Amino acid sequence: MKNRWLFPLLLLPVVALAADTLPPLLPWQGSTESLIKPKHPWVTPAELSNLTETPDYTATVSYLQKLVASSELLRMESIGKSPQGRDIWLIKASMQPELIGKGQGKSGRPTLLVQAGIHSGEIDGKDAGLMLLRDIVHGDKQALLAQVDLLFIPILSVDAHERKGKFNRMNQRGPVDQGWRSTAQNLNLNRDYAKADSLEMQAVLKAINSYQPDLYMDVHVTDGEDYQYDITYGFNEPFASQSPNGASWLATVYRPALDQALSDAGHIPGPLVFALDPLDFAKGLQGSTSTPRFSTGYGDVRHLPTILVENHSLKPYRQRVLGTYVLLQHSLQLLAQQGKALQLAKKADENARPQRQVLAFKAAEQPDLIAFKGISYEIAHSDIINGPYVKWTGQPKEYAALPVFWEKVPALEVEVPKAYWIPPQYQDVITRLQHHGIQFSRLEKSGKLELQQLSASSHELASRSFEGRVGVKATFTPNWSEFALPAGTVRVSTDQPLGALAVALLQPEGPDSLFSWGFFHGMFERTEYFETYAMLPWIEQELKTNKTLATDFAAAVKADAKLAKDGQARLHWFYQRSPFYDQTYLKYPVLIER
């Protein structure tokens, strides 16, 4: 009987403690509070709790199915299933929902794709989206669809959404029960865009390829520091973008308009930046340029303008959901006014064929200066950690000119080749290209071609797995040769709208290339060896008849002290130059056409 009551007795003080440990709140009241309609016939499940709770998967899907059945403006489609077998739902909202997308017979209207719950503990977008859809079909917001189409994924990480609990995110104010950050396979979906290992990510890519949206919004909740902003968002800035025209539209058209709309509604929009030094906010901020593992980096390299929304975790759930509602509503309104200009910018990026491509950026040494709405803090000492920590006071602190060190200096840049050639045995790589929508052709019969191959002159495998894979870094030396290409070899031209994405995935030096993620580890393994009794007679014979080999060996021994003393090193030196050596060892198998 004692054990029966042990857990409740332990949990009660933990619940009380969790409610008291977060920093003090700033008072907030905004006009968006009128958006909550607890007496509406189509009241959403979250509104019944005054936006303090969020419905589970079953209740969410049930509400959406009834809402869709009630209106000709909505359609509901499963874009895939999760590892645990749950449907991943997409809601289509349009005056002509069957015509959403691009191409012949489609509407051509600007299309916004909104995704909630990629980290399902950060579920603000789901409840904001349900409220907005309700107001579109059973309220006064139908005009939002007059010139624009909306695609809405209410929960992407559906399995993690059901791994809900009160203790999943201790630094976040609500909802009461929160989902988990990673999937049922323990993958972080916002690290999976490039490698596309998860069923959930493959479903999203399928939707993007099918509907070709013009603007993509990925709704999250922050971790980290305290500040006054309740809604922060960002994208790869024009100064470090693979899609400079789309990024310029986001910076000069979207951001000013949405900042104004949020401010007018009583919210405080802010930039998506992070502290350089957690113990000294005054040192400044870091602004990141995302690589293709992240939604914003992926959208940038495939020329899909993408916004990463990071609502502030320390603000109440109610406030965050209402701010997200404003963000969604006014994004639709802006697309109605400026969507055609965005489509032209997107097309210009798709049609560009730059000769060089930056694969990674590093922080600038000289910062930009921005005004920043911070929160004051004290540096306190903890005997538990035997050191200092930040204690936020809840009092506003204005920084007139806070330095921001943006990642905008090219750190890795390559020449864009004409094409990549992938041997047919790498079906997992070819399948990933299909998931991304990258176009390629196949050799119908074998042939020979002069191509460039990269040899790993040094490499280092990661010391532990990350996102289910063991990564690798390497430096490469290029060599030209004539290669026999078997039938079925895939040619990936960079002369296509997704050419920059192909380079990011297939140029092995890239931080999110398929090579870096570990798709080609076989090139680091040798499976055939030699025996000394067989190698020595061959060496003796070659030294007598091959004068070039003899000269090279003498020079190598003179230059390398280990080779001069180590007999096994000498054997390996000759083996590497023999016809018996594995010529694919340390060779990147994807060949390059220039």
Side-chain angles (χ1 to χ4, degrees), residues 14-15 17-25 119 121-122 124 165-176 178-181 220-227 229-230 274 310-317 320 390 392:
V14 174
V15 173
L17 181 63
D20 296 334
T21 56
L22 297 181
L25 268 173
H119 298 152
E122 308 165 22
D124 307 14
K166 294 177 173 59
F167 307 107
N168 286 354
R169 289 178 64 85
M170 71 174 301
N171 61 315
Q172 179 176 304
R173 280 193 165 96
V176 173
Q178 302 161 2
W180 196 250
R181 183 177 180 84
H220 292 246
V221 179
T222 66
D223 300 303
E225 298 81 20
D226 198 3
Y227 40 68
Y229 307 109
D230 56 355
F274 305 93
E310 288 279 6
N311 296 332
H312 192 219
S313 62
L314 296 178
K315 304 301 185 288
Y317 189 60
R320 303 196 319 258
V390 167
W392 302 100

Side-chain angles (χ1 to χ4, degrees), residues 213-375:
D214 301 292
L215 185 62
Y216 182 25
M217 182 182 295
D218 181 20
V219 185
H220 292 246
V221 179
T222 66
D223 300 303
E225 298 81 20
D226 198 3
Y227 40 68
Q228 298 174 48
Y229 307 109
D230 56 355
I231 309 292
T232 68
Y233 62 93
F235 40 83
N236 278 7
E237 296 286 345
F239 49 67
S241 175
Q242 308 293 341
S243 303
N245 296 286
S248 178
W249 186 92
L250 290 173
T252 61
V253 177
Y254 184 87
R255 182 159 50 204
L258 269 294
D259 281 357
Q260 187 64 54
L262 284 162
S263 298
D264 290 346
H267 293 273
I268 308 177
L272 183 56
V273 288
F274 305 93
L276 274 176
D277 183 347
L279 293 176
D280 189 355
F281 206 77
K283 284 184 178 178
L285 308 167
Q286 54 181 336
S288 66
T289 296
S290 295
T291 61
R293 72 182 58 180
F294 303 101
S295 61
T296 42
Y298 180 75
D300 183 47
V301 81
R302 74 168 288 152
H303 312 310
L304 170 57
T306 301
I307 302 158
L308 174 64
V309 180
E310 288 279 6
N311 296 332
H312 192 219
S313 62
L314 296 178
K315 304 301 185 288
Y317 189 60
R318 184 169 182 265
Q319 181 178 349
R320 303 196 319 258
V321 170
L322 295 175
T324 307
Y325 184 110
V326 174
L327 199 66
L328 301 182
Q329 175 185 337
H330 285 273
S331 294
L332 290 170
Q333 290 177 338
L334 183 64
L335 280 178
Q337 302 164 10
Q338 298 288 338
K340 295 300 181 183
L342 176 60
Q343 288 178 327
L344 290 173
K346 186 174 183 293
K347 181 59 68 175
D349 289 326
E350 290 174 345
N351 290 338
R353 298 292 184 268
Q355 295 182 345
R356 298 187 65 79
Q357 181 169 325
V358 178
L359 299 178
F361 291 88
K362 62 182 179 181
E365 293 183 3
Q366 296 299 318
D368 299 329
L369 299 176
I370 64 169
F372 192 84
K373 295 181 177 296
I375 294 289

Side-chain angles (χ1 to χ4, degrees), residues 421-438:
W421 291 83
I422 306 174
Q425 62 266 31
Y426 289 95
Q427 287 300 312
D428 55 345
V429 173
I430 296 168
T431 298
R432 292 307 189 279
L433 300 184
Q434 292 173 320
H435 287 317
H436 289 294
I438 294 173

Side-chain angles (χ1 to χ4, degrees), residues 112-164:
L112 170 65
L113 170 60
V114 177
Q115 169 185 289
I118 188 171
H119 298 152
S120 61
E122 308 165 22
I123 203 63
D124 307 14
K126 179 191 75 175
D127 289 317
L130 264 59
M131 291 171 63
L132 181 61
L133 287 173
R134 183 270 316 280
D135 291 342
I136 287 174
V137 299
H138 293 299
D140 58 357
K141 298 290 197 310
Q142 184 171 325
L144 292 174
L145 299 182
Q147 302 176 62
V148 181
D149 295 331
L150 171 64
L151 301 168
F152 177 54
I153 301 173
I155 314 168
L156 176 55
S157 190
V158 288
D159 295 340
H161 186 277
E162 295 310 279
R163 187 182 169 180
K164 58 187 182 295

